[in-house]
Amino acid sequence: MADSVQLRINGRMIAVPGGTVLAAAIAAAGVTQFRRSVSGQPRTPVCGMGVCMECRVTINGQAQRRSCQTLCEPGMEVQTDE
Amino acid sequence: MNSRAHEFEIVIVGAGPAGLAAACAAAENGKRVAVLDDTPWLGGQIWRGEQAQPAQPGAQKWIERFRRSGATLIDQTSVIASPRPGVLTAEHPSGGREIRFQKLILATGARELLLPFPGWMLPGVVAAGGLQVLAKHGWPVAGKKVVVAGTGPLLLAVADGLKKYGAHVVSTAEQAPLARVAGFGLKLLLAHPGKILQGLGIKSRLLGVPQRFGVWPVRAEGDRQVRSVTLTDGQKTWTEDCDLLACGFNLVPNVELPLALSCELCDGFVRVDKWQATSVENIYCAGEPTGIGGVDCALAEGRIAGLAAAGRKDEARQLFAGRARWHRFRAAMAETFALRPEVKTLAADDTIFCRCEDATFGRVKQFSNWRDAKLQTRCGMGACQGRTCGAAARVVLGFGMESVRPPVLPARILSLLTISSDSTTIAETKITGTNQTL
Ligand SMILES: Cc1cc2nc3c(=O)[nH]c(=O)nc-3n(C[C@H](O)[C@H](O)[C@H](O)COP(=O)(O)OP(=O)(O)OC[C@H]3O[C@@H](n4cnc5c(N)ncnc54)[C@H](O)[C@@H]3O)c2cc1C
Ligand code: FES
């Protein structure tokens, strides 16, 4: 397993093993809502493969990125809809 | 980067088993080949993550072979449109790309069919293969109580995988009746003994996990998080506690890109001839979009497509018999895991049908076709572009397949601007500020 990677999720620094998918890191950080649906419901990843769009978060200021299709990178700034 | 670097004799969309086999066949025959994939991984749904954590020898063999083949991998790149023949437009996180080809092989794979039922949008209700894939990449499942439900050969593989990652698999619920699954097992034993051994290995590792057949979920319960699932065998109904419900109803083909390229379909799958050629000249298709046949079928079709596109028809012909065996396996799978009518009627009027727009089933079902339902309820108009609810609407409401208008995936506005304003150069524009999905 590659070295650990540090990134910030909703303002909190966390470290995950290299090769971790961002969606997994967000879940491991204890986040229970990735995005809020148009009627305000909490949503979390469903398909794990880039199709359903339920895992969208803001990465380094870029909104609507699919966290299930993104690998964690050192220093990433991630914001969920919490 | 200049535009010449993006011109290839053969371009393949999809780096799953079908795409890798096609790429190796074409590149080993001296063609200039590129493979484009949406993800940062090689290997598609079954082999992704194998580069970082090798586990499957079959996957290693193909990944190694691909590396040596001389084909180029263009990853994290989603193909979203084809503005004119011989040209693809694609999106990378850093901006739009244009890629030219002489021949194109579509190996876009499949996704899980998700059917709506009360509570299916609760956090913790995840697609079956989806949860396995997430767990493989670090999603925490250790110690979690998981029920695996739905249909298809994937379910037991998922249960096995989750157990390996430390999950407590409470039970599995396959909607197909035991007699049909057992009959399929028997056929498999005669035609593909290797598959049965794989299956028996999984079975033995799942000893102690109740595996039910002819059983399906009717609702998931919980407040902000799934806590339990209610299952039925059509007579009795009972509830099982869970932290996660992994639920998928087999696979549906990714035919959006083939459709956007005007390839004809037949029964919902891309129609191909014996060379894997589609109805559009110079465009081939291999793997799950032509029929849900599993990894070996995808490899066989991919190899034939790659050889045919490279002009090696004699070599391709020698693989026809092998492919035919996998096509028989594919037909048996479709028959075995056909959906029972009950799982098509699980949604209640207040069940969210379209997860992107929160349109309820009660509203969507008032319309007799997908187009009207979309216009009136916004169902299928959100970020996933109807890839989740559109597939469900075809099964649950019998709606037909609509023609596909590009972009095939939600593209950021910038990629589209880049593409429409200049057709010959590749933009390396940095995206700043906020982006929107179309
Ligand atoms: C979530 C999931 C988990 C699975 N797990 C297993 C398992 O554990 N065991 C098993 O035997 N089978 C599994 N399967 C089935 C298995 O995926 C298939 O049998 C096999 O991978 C088919 O190979 P393929 O090459 O046809 O498609 P895929 O492996 O699906 O590959 C298609 C590739 O195309 C890419 N793609 C699609 N559209 C575009 C586009 N527009 N632009 C760029 N790239 C694109 C995708 O990102 C993907 O990488 C799973 C399927 C799914 C959906
Ligand atoms: S979980 Fe479905 S797109 Fe990421």
Side-chain angles (χ1 to χ4, degrees), chain A residues 37-50:
Chain A
S37 77
V38 296
S39 68
Q41 297 179 352
R43 296 287 170 78
T44 50
V46 175
C47 72
M49 56 174 290

Side-chain angles (χ1 to χ4, degrees), chain A residues 52-78:
Chain A
C52 73
M53 306 284 159
E54 293 286 41
C55 65
R56 281 172 289 159
V57 298
T58 300
I59 304 173
N60 297 335
Q62 231 183 54
Q64 316 278 12
R65 292 280 307 274
R66 291 170 297 175
S67 59
C68 76
Q69 299 293 89
T70 309
L71 289 171
C72 291
E73 278 169 27
M76 228 176 206
E77 289 278 346
V78 181

Side-chain angles (χ1 to χ4, degrees), chain B residues 14 16-18 37-39 44-46 77 79 107-109 129 132 154 287-288 294-295:
Chain B
D37 199 286
D38 189 24
T39 70
Q45 299 313 328
I46 176 168
T77 302
V79 178
T108 48
Q132 185 189 21
L154 200 53
E288 311 282 49
V295 55

Side-chain angles (χ1 to χ4, degrees), chain A residues 4-57:
Chain A
S4 93
V5 171
Q6 294 216 353
L7 67 164
R8 197 189 304 270
I9 297 174
N10 294 345
R12 226 182 90 212
M13 281 310 282
I14 71 155
V16 294
T20 302
V21 162
L22 180 57
I26 297 173
V31 172
T32 54
Q33 171 172 307
F34 280 55
R35 73 172 196 105
R36 204 171 328 169
S37 77
V38 296
S39 68
Q41 297 179 352
R43 296 287 170 78
T44 50
V46 175
C47 72
M49 56 174 290
V51 172
C52 73
M53 306 284 159
E54 293 286 41
C55 65
R56 281 172 289 159
V57 298

Side-chain angles (χ1 to χ4, degrees), chain B residues 162-180:
Chain B
L162 293 174
K163 210 169 160 220
K164 232 171 7 209
Y165 296 116
H168 168 57
V169 181
V170 178
S171 68
T172 65
E174 161 63 61
Q175 60 92 42
L178 178 59
R180 229 164 53 201

